Amino acid sequence: MTQSFSSALLDNFLGNAPDWYKKTIVLFLIINPIIYFAAGDAGPTIAGWALILEFIFTLAMALKCYPLQPGGLLAIEALFIGLTSPSTVYHEIQANLEVILLLVFMVAGIYFMKNLLLFVFTKILLGVRSKVVLSLMFSAVAAVLSAFLDALTVTAVVISVGVGFYGIYHKVASGKKFHHDHDHSDDDQVDELNREDLENFRSFLRSLLMHAAVGTALGGVCTLVGEPQNLLIAGRANWEFFEFFIRMAPITLPVFVAGLITCAVLEKIKILGYGQELPEKVRGVMEDFAEAEDEKRTKKDIASLWVQGFTAVWLVIALGLHIAPVGLIGLSVIVLCTSFTGVIDEHSIGKAFEEALPFTALLTVFFAIVAVIADNGLFTPIITEVLKMEGTTQIAMFYLANGFLSMVSDNVFVATVYINEVAKAALDGTISRDTFDMLAVAINTGTNIPSVATPNGQAAFLFLLTSALAPLIRLSYGRMVIMAFPYTIVMSLVGLAMVYITLEPATEKMYEKGWIKHHNLETLCDSVGGSWENDKCKLDEKKKAGGH
């Protein structure tokens, strides 16, 4: 039978995605211009929010179709109909260049350390039999590392370890030996007797990865360097490292403890996908693998592990001291690891970039969606209403508003918009400088804590969702939301309670103890690029708008 041109075009469109999904994306592309041009003055606002929901849909269906293509089509259409401009998209990319460099180089750098990571984490996996203890270790270590390093780097490490573990058992479950080549994405060769253990192992890995992902949020909110928006907020408020930590502590430390308790409870009561133990058959395979690796390890292999170990030390020191942007440190890891382990041909090096570059492209598309939010002021009404409030209610509402918007947007963008608006309010005399500082705490904790609810709320979660590991262990958008739900509720409510009840009195106590100091408006003026003249901050309109 001769296939019609339209049928062939539909077959090619978005590849193997289901037909209903393809038709849904086409429907989105048709209705967006209609909304934009037919809804009059409200067109850009309605079409902008529609675009956000459509993009979230593409993320939710990531296992049906990688979000880059449908999300990219939506972003291109947004540019053509005028929801945003190439210059605004480019501005968002410039503002997030460090994150892009991190993905391009750091994730590739971690690839060249995978043998060391697999060696270390295999020992931990086999040495710790309690799932509760193992889960707490993954969460706590991810939190501590994220507080001083970077959440995406930590997530890249966890993903690399997860892929390694999964590949080992999948190969054996398919009837092959450790040294055989194998495609661990193909389940057709898995022996029927091993399928139940494989499903249980997937559940085991999913829970560990979610604990670790939440751990990156628990630690990332605590310090000036934990997340990109932390550095931005600290820069606006003129806080140093210690002052940032102390100001956040009344909220972040109780949330950290609550997060670890939630981790332990979830593993104990075994709900929402948690509690799966490591199957004994899988443990046996991992033990055999460890023994086989120990037996065949040559002097050359040992030397390679030592090089990777020294590179890991360099990585921690370089990131901890922040001697350069994270992406450049990642590039140094690539150079060091490949130079001393014999990986010098371009094809071998190129494999390291396969994991990160699709996500880098997706994140760039995401910045186009963020540009739509910026150009159409989609968050402005919410900001205006919150600024009308007063006292602890205002501070608590800032926490909630930032949390909600970070669930559907980029938390770095939300923090940027809010901190700039609050800075303008302080300079206009609407709020005091001390109130600005407490609102800055609410903005930071709001963008970091409730945003664990969805993968698009945290870059580390989105990276995990779109990684090569997610489809292997059946970790979908919906499953991530469900597994994050108890964490979201507990952490968000504890954070809200601390903001509402303890932030103001704790801050006053810190002033009395001399742990933090009162800042004046002049330093705030300097932080937003203004000049202090005649007791008034002179800002040009572009700087007032934060570059948008």
Side-chain angles (χ1 to χ4, degrees), residues 191-208:
D191 190 285
E192 197 64 38
L193 295 174
N194 295 324
R195 288 186 179 272
E196 184 178 352
D197 285 316
L198 179 62
E199 286 303 317
N200 291 336
F201 188 39
R202 282 172 172 149
S203 178
F204 172 83
L205 287 177
R206 280 197 301 267
S207 59
L208 280 186

Side-chain angles (χ1 to χ4, degrees), residues 280-501:
E280 284 302 317
K281 189 180 289 187
V282 179
R283 180 180 291 278
V285 169
M286 299 302 293
E287 289 172 345
D288 292 342
F289 171 77
E291 290 177 10
E293 288 294 296
D294 290 342
E295 289 175 4
K296 75 172 188 177
R297 193 169 288 118
T298 64
K299 294 288 185 182
K300 189 175 179 180
D301 295 328
I302 294 172
S304 178
L305 287 177
W306 274 103
V307 168
Q308 292 174 44
F310 282 122
T311 306
V313 172
W314 153 250
L315 174 64
V316 171
I317 292 173
L319 288 172
L321 297 178
H322 304 281
I323 63 174
V326 179
L328 298 184
I329 295 172
L331 180 57
S332 73
V333 168
I334 296 173
V335 173
L336 291 172
C337 273
T338 55
S339 296
F340 293 96
T341 57
V343 183
I344 56 172
D345 64 284
E346 61 181 296
H347 297 294
S348 298
I349 294 173
K351 292 178 182 177
F353 293 88
E354 292 177 0
E355 173 70 17
L357 287 182
F359 181 71
T360 307
L362 173 62
L363 197 64
T364 304
V365 169
F366 185 68
F367 294 146
I369 307 301
V370 171
V372 171
I373 297 171
D375 275 348
N376 296 283
L378 299 183
F379 294 168
T380 302
I382 302 173
I383 296 170
T384 303
E385 289 302 313
V386 174
L387 278 173
K388 291 178 182 178
M389 300 175 183
E390 296 180 354
T392 53
T393 302
Q394 183 189 56
I395 297 170
M397 285 306 299
F398 260 88
Y399 171 87
L400 289 174
N402 277 267
F404 170 73
L405 293 175
S406 293
M407 291 179 191
V408 300
S409 180
D410 172 37
N411 52 11
V412 178
F413 171 75
V414 174
T416 302
V417 172
Y418 266 81
I419 200 67
N420 285 336
E421 291 295 327
V422 173
K424 287 194 288 182
L427 293 170
D428 291 341
T430 306
I431 58 175
S432 69
R433 174 59 211 249
D434 285 350
T435 300
F436 166 84
D437 286 335
M438 284 191 288
L439 289 176
V441 173
I443 292 169
N444 185 70
T445 52
T447 54
N448 276 293
I449 296 170
S451 57
V452 301
T454 64
N456 38 301
Q458 291 265 348
F461 278 44
L462 188 59
F463 184 33
L464 175 58
L465 174 68
T466 57
S467 70
L469 179 59
L472 298 179
I473 61 174
R474 309 301 187 259
L475 185 60
S476 64
Y477 186 102
R479 197 188 292 268
M480 284 188 79
V481 171
I482 292 170
M483 295 184 76
F485 181 73
Y487 277 115
T488 304
I489 297 299
V490 173
M491 290 164 55
S492 298
L493 290 179
V494 171
L496 177 62
M498 294 301 103
V499 167
Y500 192 79
I501 299 169

